[in-house]
C-alpha cells in the first residue's frame, strides 16, 4: 500500500464542495432565527471537505503510526507497561457498567458499589493495609491524598509543627512535587552507591519537624531496600509516618506486603501493576491504603457494607473531604478487579517472581556490553549506565532511538538522575522468553553497530513515521493547529 498517499494532514485532502455524508433536507423552519444574533457564526467554520474513504484511510493509517503495548514490547522502566488483557476492556465497556450515572440511588447500583468494595478489600489483602480509598485519579494524586491523610493524623494529635517530608534523592519526581502541593517542605536524604537509603543521613535528618518519610521499595534502580524494619523504627520513634510509593508494586505482588514491613500509608498505581492501560496522561487510578488507626482520615465518599447487607456510600466529618468528583475513575477500577480475579490468589503470586526473573535474565544477558553500575540481583527493573564502550560517542539516546527501528519501544532514559547515561529496563511478567531473547539480540546488535557504524547510529531512527524531531524546538515553539503550519 502506498502509505505516503495517506500520510498528510486531513486538511490537505480538502477539495471545495466534496462531501463524505448526505443528510436529509432540513425541514424545520428558521432554525437560525432561534439563535440570538450575537451567538451566530459570521464565517463558515474551517473544516476539511473530504470523502468518507479518505477519512477512514487517513485515520486508520494514523492509528498505526503510534507505538503501543498491543503493537510491541515496551520495556519502560519505572512505568510497568504490561500487557492489558482484553477481557478487562470488554467488562469495563459493558453497558451495565459504562452507562451508570454517579448520582443513581444506591439501591439501583448495588452491584457497582459491591465491585468497588471488593476491590478495596482485595487491595487491603495485597498491601497488608486496613482500609483503601479508590478515589484518587493517578499515582501523584494518591501521593497527595496520602500526605493529606498524614497531615490530618498529625493535626488530630495537635502535633502541628510537622511540615517536612523526607524523600530520597533517587525518588520519582512526583514525590517531592506532591509534598509541595500538600503544603509541606521537602528534605532530601542521600542514597548509598547501591541506591539504598543512607541510614546515617536519615538519622541526622529526622526530627520533630518531620511529618513523613516517603520510600519506594524496590527503589528506583530496582534494588530491594533491606533496612525497612530499621527505617520504620527510626521514623516512628521520631513521631513521623512512613509512606510507601507503591506505583510499581509489581515485584512485590504476591511476595511481600508494605503493611507487614511497617509502612503506614501507601498508594498503588492500578494503571501500572494492575494492568489497566496508561500513557498519554490518563485515565488512571491511584488508590491509597492506610494501616489501622488512620482509616477515619481517608477521603469522602467511602463505600461501606451496612448491617442489613446493603452497600452504600458514606461521608464522615473526620474524613478529608473529596479528592475526586465521585468514586474515582470507575472503569479503571473495573479493569483492575477483572485482572485480580482472572489471575486469582494462586496466580497473582507468580507476578512478582516472574517480573523479577525476566528483569534479571535481560540484565545478565547484556551486562558484558552495557555498563551495570550496581551489582546484585535486581527486582522488576534495573539500570544500565549506557554502553561499556563509550569510545565512539554513542549515547543512551542513540541506543533508544535505534531500538525503534527494530520495533521495540525505548526503555526509560536519563532517569534516575543517579547516573549520566541511565537506561532503565523493565520487561514485566507478561513477555514470553522469545520476546525477551529477541530484545536481547537487538540490544547486542546495537552495541555492535556502535563499534562498526557509529555515524549511522547517531542518525537513527530510520523506519519510524516521524524520524528525529527537534525536541527543543517542539517544546519552545509548538505548532498545535493546522493554521500555524
Ligand atoms: C509512575 C510513578 C508515580 C506517578 O504516578 P502517576 O500515575 O504518573 O501520577 C509515582 N511514583 C513512582 C515510583 C512511579 O513509577
Amino acid at each position: 500500500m502506498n502509505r505516503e498517499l495517506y500520510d498528510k494532514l486531513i486538511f490537505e485532502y480538502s477539495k471545495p464542495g466534496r462531501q463524505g455524508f448526505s443528510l436529509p433536507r432540513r425541514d424545520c423552519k428558521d432554525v437560525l432565527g432561534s439563535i440570538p444574533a450575537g451567538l451566530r457564526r459570521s464565517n463558515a467554520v474551517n473544516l476539511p471537505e473530504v470523502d468518507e474513504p479518505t477519512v477512514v484511510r487517513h485515520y486508520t493509517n494514523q492509528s498505526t503510526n503510534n507505538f503501543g503495548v498491543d503493537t510491541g514490547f515496551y520495556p519502560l522502566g519505572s512505568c510497568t507497561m504490561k500487557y492489558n488483557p482484553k477481557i478487562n476492556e470488554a467488562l469495563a465497556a459493558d453497558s451495565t457498567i459504562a452507562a451508570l450515572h454517579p448520582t443513581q440511588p444506591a439501591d439501583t447500583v448495588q452491584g457497582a458499589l459491591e465491585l468497588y468494595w471488593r476491590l478495596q478489600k482485595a487491595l487491603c489483602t495485597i498491601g497488608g493495609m486496613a482500609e483503601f480509598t479508590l478515589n484518587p485519579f493517578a499515582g501523584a494524586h494518591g501521593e497527595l491524598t496520602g500526605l493529606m491523610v498524614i497531615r490530618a493524623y498529625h493535626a488530630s494529635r495537635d502535633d502541628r509543627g510537622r511540615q517536612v517530608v523526607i524523600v530520597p534523592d533517587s525518588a520519582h519526581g512526583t514525590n517531592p512535587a506532591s509534598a509541595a502541593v500538600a503544603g509541606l517542605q521537602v528534605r532530601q536524604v542521600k542514597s548509598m552507591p547501591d541506591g539504598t537509603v543512607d541510614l546515617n543521613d536519615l538519622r541526622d535528618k529526622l526530627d520533630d519537624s518531620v511529618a513523613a518519610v516517603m520510600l519506594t521499595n524496590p527503589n528506583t534502580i530496582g534494588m530491594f531496600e533491606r533496612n525497612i524494619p530499621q527505617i520504620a523504627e527510626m521514623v516512628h520513634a521520631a513521631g513521623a509516618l512512613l509512606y510507601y510509593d507503591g506505583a510499581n508494586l509489581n515485584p512485590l505482588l504476591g511476595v511481600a506486603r508494605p503493611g507487614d514491613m511497617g509502612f503506614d500509608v501507601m498508594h498503588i498505581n492500578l494503571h501500572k501493576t494492575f494492568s489497566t492501560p496508561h500513557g498519554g496522561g490518563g485515565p488512571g487510578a491511584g488508590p491509597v491504603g492506610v494501616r489501622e488507626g488512620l482509616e477515619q482520615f481517608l477521603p469522602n465518599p467511602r463505600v461501606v457494607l451496612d448491617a442489613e447487607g446493603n452497600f452504600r456510600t458514606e461521608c464522615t466529618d473526620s474524613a478529608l473531604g473529596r479528592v475526586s468528583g465521585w468514586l474515582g475513575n470507575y472503569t479503571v477500577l473495573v479493569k483492575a478487579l477483572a485482572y485480580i480475579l482472572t489471575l486469582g490468589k494462586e496466580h497473582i503470586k507468580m507476578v512478582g517472581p516472574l517480573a523479577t526473573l525476566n528483569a534479571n535474565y535481560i540484565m545478565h544477558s547484556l551486562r558484558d556490553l552495557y555498563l551495570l553500575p550496581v551489582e546484585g540481583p535486581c527486582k522488576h527493573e534495573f539500570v544500565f549506565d549506557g554502553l561499556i564502550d563509550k569510545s565512539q560517542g554513542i549515547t543512551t539516546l542513540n541506543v533508544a532511538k535505534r531500538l525503534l527501528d527494530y520495533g521495540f519501544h525505548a526503555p526509560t532514559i536519563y532517569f534516575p538522575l543517579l547516573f549520566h547515561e541511565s537506561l532503565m529496563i523493565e520487561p514485566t511478567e507478561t513477555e514470553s522468553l522469545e520476546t525477551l531473547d529477541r530484545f536481547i539480540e537487538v540490544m547486542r546488535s546495537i552495541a555492535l553497530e556502535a563499534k562498526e557504524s557509529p555515524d549511522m547510529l547517531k542518525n537513527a531512527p530510520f523506519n519510524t513515521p516521524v524520524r528525529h524531531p527537534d525536541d527543543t524546538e517542539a517544546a519552545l515553539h509548538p505548532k498545535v493547529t493546522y493554521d500555524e503550519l
Side-chain angles (χ1 to χ4, degrees):
M1 191 210 25
N2 182 359
R3 274 198 74 117
E4 270 170 34
L5 195 61
Y6 297 103
D7 249 1
K8 297 192 275 188
L9 293 165
I10 190 75
F11 282 90
E12 294 177 80
Y13 304 109
S14 192
K15 293 274 177 279
R18 189 162 296 176
Q19 282 195 344
F21 64 91
S22 87
L23 292 179
R25 270 175 61 85
R26 167 159 73 86
D27 59 359
C28 43
K29 290 197 184 61
D30 199 18
V31 180
L32 274 183
S34 64
I35 301 174
L39 295 179
R40 287 183 220 158
R41 296 192 73 95
S42 46
N43 315 320
V45 59
N46 179 23
L47 292 175
E49 297 179 77
V50 279
D51 54 274
E52 180 173 326
T54 301
V55 174
V56 169
R57 287 173 194 154
H58 172 72
Y59 284 110
T60 305
N61 280 297
Q62 292 276 302
S63 76
T64 64
N65 282 350
N66 208 351
F67 195 98
V69 79
D70 283 358
T71 46
F73 178 43
Y74 215 123
L76 203 65
S78 185
C79 273
T80 311
M81 292 292 285
K82 63 174 74 174
Y83 174 72
N84 315 127
K86 296 299 163 244
I87 186 172
N88 301 354
E89 299 300 325
L91 289 168
D94 189 279
S95 64
T96 56
I97 285 168
L100 291 175
H101 194 280
T103 60
Q104 269 177 252
D107 62 342
T108 68
V109 286
Q110 282 296 297
L113 293 174
E114 178 174 355
L115 189 152
Y116 184 104
W117 184 84
R118 282 191 183 280
L119 181 57
Q120 276 180 312
K121 294 283 167 244
L123 295 182
C124 286
T125 306
I126 287 167
M129 291 283 156
E131 185 77 66
F132 257 91
T133 173
L134 313 181
N135 298 359
F137 289 128
H141 195 197
E143 291 169 24
L144 174 64
T145 305
L147 289 171
M148 286 162 70
V149 165
I150 290 173
R151 250 187 21 190
Y153 160 79
H154 290 307
S156 76
R157 295 156 45 95
D158 224 10
D159 191 358
R160 291 174 195 277
R162 295 184 180 270
Q163 297 296 326
V164 171
V165 178
I166 296 186
V167 293
D169 53 9
S170 62
H172 193 276
T174 50
N175 293 182
S178 303
V181 175
L184 299 162
Q185 289 141 30
V186 178
R187 193 177 288 170
Q188 258 194 11
V189 59
K190 279 195 231 129
S191 298
M192 305 288 280
D194 68 352
T196 58
V197 172
D198 182 332
L199 290 189
N200 289 328
D201 194 41
L202 180 63
R203 194 171 294 112
D204 289 346
K205 288 185 172 154
L206 275 170
D207 55 34
D208 60 8
S209 71
V210 176
V213 176
M214 294 179 91
L215 290 181
T216 309
N217 193 28
N219 62 27
T220 305
I221 59 172
M223 304 307 281
F224 191 77
E225 189 77 61
R226 292 168 188 278
N227 298 319
I228 294 294
Q230 202 185 338
I231 292 175
E233 221 179 277
M234 283 162 62
V235 171
H236 292 147
L241 297 184
L242 192 56
Y243 184 97
Y244 181 75
D245 177 344
N248 306 296
L249 194 68
N250 226 32
L252 295 196
L253 207 53
V255 180
R257 309 194 308 169
D260 299 336
M261 294 181 201
F263 286 97
D264 304 294
V265 182
M266 69 179 290
H267 82 268
I268 298 176
N269 279 23
L270 297 185
H271 49 289
K272 286 181 182 168
T273 311
F274 292 89
S275 90
T276 82
H278 68 116
V288 171
V290 293
R291 67 155 164 77
E292 217 179 314
L294 296 171
E295 303 95 322
Q296 66 270 32
F297 304 117
L298 284 173
N300 284 328
R302 255 157 311 142
V303 174
V304 293
L305 177 60
D306 67 20
E308 288 85 54
N310 296 317
F311 294 96
R312 55 185 177 77
T313 55
E314 183 184 83
C315 292
T316 60
D317 290 340
S318 61
L320 280 184
R322 288 172 190 265
V323 297
S324 59
W326 306 96
L327 291 173
N329 268 332
Y330 191 76
T331 53
V332 172
L333 309 181
V334 174
K335 293 176 204 183
L337 186 63
Y339 172 74
I340 292 171
L341 294 179
T342 40
L343 282 183
K345 256 197 186 125
E346 184 189 339
H347 293 116
I348 225 167
K349 290 190 179 134
M350 292 165 67
V351 171
L354 267 178
T356 303
L357 178 64
N358 286 355
N360 279 279
Y361 180 66
I362 296 180
M363 184 177 88
H364 282 283
S365 306
L366 293 174
R367 56 173 300 178
D368 57 324
L369 295 171
Y370 292 84
L371 186 61
L372 186 66
V374 177
E375 287 290 333
C378 63
K379 288 293 175 289
H380 58 309
E381 64 191 3
F382 62 93
V383 181
F384 283 134
D385 190 3
L387 285 160
I388 291 178
D389 179 1
K390 295 189 170 65
S391 62
Q392 304 294 328
I394 294 301
T395 63
T396 279
L397 181 67
N398 301 141
V399 174
K401 295 276 187 198
R402 185 65 174 145
L403 270 171
L404 304 175
D405 278 338
Y406 289 104
F408 291 114
H409 194 278
T412 297
I413 58 173
Y414 300 110
F415 178 83
L417 308 175
L418 298 172
F419 316 108
H420 288 298
E421 290 290 327
S422 288
L423 188 77
M424 189 183 198
I425 296 173
E426 177 181 2
T428 82
E429 76 285 4
T430 53
E431 299 305 324
S432 67
L433 181 59
E434 290 72 23
T435 303
L436 301 183
D437 281 339
R438 171 80 185 126
F439 177 72
I440 290 163
E441 188 187 318
V442 164
M443 285 291 281
R444 296 190 72 84
S445 62
I446 293 175
L448 195 67
E449 288 173 351
K451 268 202 187 73
E452 293 174 352
S453 39
D455 291 334
M456 178 279 294
L457 210 51
K458 285 174 194 168
N459 288 313
F462 301 95
N463 304 334
T464 51
V466 176
R467 284 204 39 210
H468 210 135
D470 182 339
D471 299 340
T472 316
E473 181 65 12
L476 289 177
H477 305 291
K479 291 179 179 147
V480 294
T481 69
Y482 176 65
D483 297 337
E484 290 176 82
L485 291 171

